[in-house]
């Protein structure tokens, strides 16, 4: 007698869907529960890390404290795909719903077009979860239009600008269970965004006494997106100038603001005011993972948190040289790719570098009698900043000591150099650049900047002579051209003229063979 063939297994209805977080990517994860019976136990498989394994106790307490029954026998929960490492408490909610579906306390397959994300408290409350905006953007990109994402209501602020029509907010496990049981009777609404707090008042450029050349460099940096290095003794105003750069930058367009918000969501850090460029100023003791990103988990670093904004490195030579050299590739490629044993992640890094340093360990110039540094000390101090990194910085500007007479005078401000006036000039120059080439001058490649500069014969001869005399690399020559193009844009000139090139060359004037700050002649 022939043995009957076993019937094919039916599709599992004890499922819930969530989203993992790998860098800024958020792949879909299926959570499925099996109740084989036997000795009571809770087994969680699918490459869970510590925080995910601890979900066993959080989920059990949350289910019981919400008035549901937790299974008495063995519970097996699988997180698929199994080869993807799962980290964080973001899977608490889908695990709980999968168990409730397996015990038929929530209808199996009910509201199956919903994905779930959130950490559970012991009494069922939903707590903020890192990376909700990344999950919402991945949902919009990867799934059919009808699929929605249920997130903690506490994450509403970071979801500003996300796909609101596909998001539902909940404050408690009980709310989610009721919605999945009877969506019409217990609807969930989209996240409610509270009014964003007013952006703090940005400091005035007029507050900086003197330093006209440095202020000119600051306006050029803002207008063209150029990197800037300021060198001068302590107390000359370098940090004050750097903190005023953010006030010269215009508001971000919606697409760029969403990129910034996604990076901060992935890092679990409070974002800057909506639409404003970020400003990051890490301490010089910051480690390589803190600056570049990565570590045990794929978290964005400071250069990604400064995306579309400013990264300010004060006391530049006090950073570890190995940390500073990490900036070299992102400054060119405008992204950073991390390859680690457990993950690979790519983060955006379109940031503007502003750095400040003293000319020597004592903070003086070699022309001052008070400097007590030996030449070898000065050489070692300056050598901590590598030549390839300096070559990638467009503007090198001296910030000399402020004359004592200006310090004791009553502040009157510098006419024409207020933050409002400078910001208007920057906005006009950026509009010209976007109309002409679709990006800022600092983002142009070699062929692009040569075409945009439109040098005449005199300009080409001047640039050739300067490149040979001052040993400019090909990259350095192109950066001079980019700066000159920005100078011309600030005056509305369609062509880069020789006097634009001369001013641009003056901003690559630091003689690094000594501590003296000497202009090109």
């Amino acid at each position: 007698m022939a043995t009957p063939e076993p019937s094919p297994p039916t599709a599992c209805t004890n499922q819930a869907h969530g989203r993992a977080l790998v860098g800024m990517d958020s792949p879909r994860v299926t959570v499925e529960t099996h109740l084989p019976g036997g000795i009571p136990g809770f087994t969680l498989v699918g490459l869970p890390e510590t925080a995910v394994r601890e979900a066993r106790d959080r989920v059990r307490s949350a289910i019981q404290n919400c008035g549901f029954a937790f299974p008495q026998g063995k519970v097996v929960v699988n997180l698929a795909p199994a080869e993807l490492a799962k980290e964080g408490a973001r899977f608490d909610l889908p695990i709980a719903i999968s168990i409730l579906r397996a015990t038929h306390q929530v209808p199996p397959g009910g509201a199956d077009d919903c994905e779930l994300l959130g950490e559970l408290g012991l009494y069922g409350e939903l707590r903020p979860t890192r990376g909700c905006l990344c999950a919402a953007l991945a949902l919009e990109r990867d799934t059919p239009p009808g699929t929605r994402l249920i997130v903690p209501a506490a994450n509403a602020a970071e979801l500003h600008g996300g796909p609101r029509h596909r998001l539902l907010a909940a404050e408690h496990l009980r709310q989610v269970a009721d919605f999945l049981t009877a969506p019409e009777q217990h609807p969930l609404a989209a996240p409610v965004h509270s009014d964003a707090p007013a952006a703090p008042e940005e400091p005035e450029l007029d507050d900086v006494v003197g330093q006209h050349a440095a202020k000119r460099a600051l306006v050029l940096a803002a207008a063209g997106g150029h990197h800037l290095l300021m060198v001068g003794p302590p107390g000359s105003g370098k940090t004050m100038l750097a903190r005023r750069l953010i006030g010269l930058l215009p508001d971000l367009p919606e697409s760029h603001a969403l990129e910034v918000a996604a990076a901060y969501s992935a890092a679990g850090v409070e974002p800057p005011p909506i639409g404003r460029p970020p400003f990051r100023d890490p301490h010089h003791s910051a480690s390589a993972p803190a600056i570049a990103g990565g570590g045990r988990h794929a978290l964005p670093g400071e250069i990604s948190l400064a995306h579309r904004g400013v990264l300010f490195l004060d006391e530049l030579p006090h950073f570890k040289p190995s940390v500073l050299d990490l900036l070299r590739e992102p400054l060119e490629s405008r992204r950073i790719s991390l390859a680690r044993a457990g993950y690979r992640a790519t983060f955006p890094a379109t940031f503007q570098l502003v750095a400040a340093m003293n000319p020597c360990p004592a903070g003086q110039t070699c022309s001052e009698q008070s400097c007590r540094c030996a030449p070898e000390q000065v050489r070692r101090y300056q050598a901590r900043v590598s030549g390839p990194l300096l070559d990638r910085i467009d503007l090198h500007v001296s910030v000399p000591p402020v004359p004592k007479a200006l310090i004791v005078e009553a502040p009157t401000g510098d006419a024409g150099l207020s933050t409002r006036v400078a910001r208007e000039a920057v906005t006009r120059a950026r509009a010209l650049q976007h109309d002409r080439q679709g990006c800022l001058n600092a983002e142009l490649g070699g062929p692009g900047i040569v075409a945009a500069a439109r040098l005449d014969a005199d300009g080409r001869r001047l640039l050739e002579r300067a490149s040979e005399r001052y040993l400019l690399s090909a990259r350095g020559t192109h950066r001079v051209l980019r700066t000159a193009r920005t100078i011309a844009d600030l005056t509305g000139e369609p062509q880069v003229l020789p006097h634009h090139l001369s001013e641009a060359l003056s901003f690559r004037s630091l003689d690094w063979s000594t501590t003296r700050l000497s202009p090109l002649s």
Side-chain angles (χ1 to χ4, degrees):
M1 183 176 180
T3 304
E5 295 183 0
S7 58
T10 58
C12 179
T13 57
N14 304 332
Q15 290 183 349
H17 300 285
R19 291 272 169 179
L21 184 63
V22 182
M24 291 176 60
D25 190 21
S26 192
R28 195 182 202 212
V29 171
T30 299
V31 182
E32 52 191 8
T33 299
H34 177 49
L35 305 176
I39 299 175
F42 195 143
T43 302
L44 193 60
V45 297
L47 211 59
E49 296 191 356
T50 302
V52 184
R53 291 196 299 269
E54 291 174 348
R56 294 175 296 191
D57 298 316
R58 289 193 300 270
V59 169
R60 182 194 301 270
S61 296
I63 287 177
Q64 291 173 341
N65 288 324
C66 286
F68 296 110
F70 192 83
Q72 294 299 313
K74 186 174 181 60
V75 178
V76 179
V77 175
N78 179 44
L79 308 177
E83 68 272 9
L84 176 67
K86 322 297 189 307
E87 57 93 12
R90 57 197 307 105
F91 300 104
D92 288 5
L93 182 58
I95 290 173
I97 294 301
S98 177
I99 292 174
L100 293 177
R101 282 178 169 167
T103 56
H104 302 283
Q105 298 176 84
V106 168
D112 203 31
D113 59 345
C114 287
E115 296 183 0
L116 308 158
L117 196 65
E119 175 185 347
L120 287 174
L122 295 183
Y123 292 90
E125 65 275 12
L126 283 173
R127 292 177 173 163
T129 302
R130 181 170 63 90
C132 278
L133 180 57
C134 299
L137 297 176
L139 178 90
E140 187 176 38
R141 183 177 61 246
D142 300 340
T143 61
T147 308
R148 293 170 294 176
L149 177 67
I150 300 177
V151 297
N155 286 100
E158 78 173 71
L159 295 169
H160 181 85
R164 283 178 52 85
H165 61 287
R166 303 185 68 173
L167 299 177
L168 299 173
E171 297 180 349
H172 203 274
L173 172 61
R174 187 82 218 192
Q175 282 182 276
V176 179
D178 290 343
F179 169 73
L180 296 178
T181 302
E184 297 80 9
Q185 299 178 22
H186 305 280
L188 293 178
V192 177
H193 303 304
S194 57
D195 293 335
E201 186 176 350
E202 288 161 343
E204 268 291 329
L205 194 58
D206 280 346
D207 295 341
V208 183
V209 177
Q211 306 299 5
H212 302 290
K215 290 179 181 178
R216 172 65 170 171
L218 204 67
V219 173
L220 288 175
H226 303 290
H227 308 305
L228 170 65
L229 171 66
M230 294 179 285
V231 182
S236 56
K238 303 184 297 295
T239 302
M240 288 183 68
L241 286 163
R243 294 189 183 282
R244 279 147 182 79
L245 174 59
I246 203 71
L248 306 184
L249 302 179
D251 289 340
L252 297 174
E254 185 177 353
S255 59
H256 291 176
L258 194 59
E259 294 173 4
V260 172
Y264 278 77
S265 175
V269 178
E270 183 179 356
I274 296 170
R276 291 301 296 149
F279 182 88
R280 304 294 298 182
D281 55 342
H283 190 261
H284 58 75
S285 62
S287 64
I291 297 294
R296 181 182 175 188
H297 302 301
L299 293 175
E302 290 292 333
I303 63 174
S304 297
L305 296 179
H307 180 58
R308 303 296 179 184
V310 175
L311 176 66
F312 175 46
L313 302 184
D314 203 359
E315 304 294 347
L316 187 67
H318 290 279
F319 285 83
K320 294 180 181 178
S322 59
V323 171
L324 293 180
D325 286 339
L326 289 172
L327 300 173
R328 288 157 53 176
E329 182 182 351
L331 285 173
E332 293 289 330
S333 64
R334 301 186 181 275
R335 63 185 180 89
I336 182 164
S337 298
L338 304 176
R340 302 290 185 266
Y343 60 83
R344 294 177 181 270
T346 299
F347 296 106
T350 304
F351 64 97
Q352 192 171 347
L353 175 64
V354 177
M357 62 176 288
N358 299 326
C360 67
Q364 309 299 327
T365 63
C366 68
S367 61
E368 298 189 27
Q369 298 298 324
S370 60
C371 184
R372 61 180 183 272
C373 300
E376 181 61 22
Q377 288 179 289
V378 176
R379 188 195 66 78
R380 287 198 303 267
Y381 179 78
Q382 294 180 354
R384 291 178 64 86
V385 184
S386 67
L389 177 61
L390 290 173
D391 199 36
R392 288 167 165 82
I393 300 178
D394 306 57
L395 305 170
H396 305 170
V397 62
S398 168
V399 186
V402 179
K404 304 301 184 290
L406 291 179
I407 298 176
V408 299
E409 287 180 358
T412 57
D414 295 324
L417 280 178
S418 68
T419 295
R420 180 185 61 82
V421 172
R423 186 172 178 176
E424 290 173 355
V426 166
T427 301
R428 289 193 298 270
R430 286 189 168 216
L432 283 175
Q433 295 166 44
H434 282 287
D435 291 342
R436 180 178 61 239
Q437 68 232 6
C439 65
L440 297 179
N441 290 332
E443 300 173 13
L444 280 174
I449 190 57
V450 170
R454 299 168 57 190
L455 291 177
D456 57 16
D458 291 338
R460 286 194 294 272
R461 283 195 295 271
L462 173 61
L463 186 58
E464 289 171 3
R465 290 200 304 270
S467 298
E468 293 175 359
R469 178 177 178 183
Y470 302 113
L471 304 178
L472 296 179
S473 66
R475 180 189 292 114
T477 302
H478 284 152
R479 291 191 178 277
V480 169
L481 263 183
R482 293 187 184 105
T483 304
R485 179 64 267 180
T486 300
I487 295 170
D489 287 335
L490 282 170
T491 59
E493 293 282 352
Q495 180 181 5
V496 172
L497 301 176
H499 68 273
H500 299 144
L501 281 172
S502 297
E503 184 179 2
L505 287 164
S506 72
F507 286 113
R508 294 185 73 88
S509 62
L510 296 185
D511 183 2
W512 290 98
S513 63
T514 69
T515 58
R516 186 181 299 278
L517 307 177
S518 55
L520 296 173
S521 57

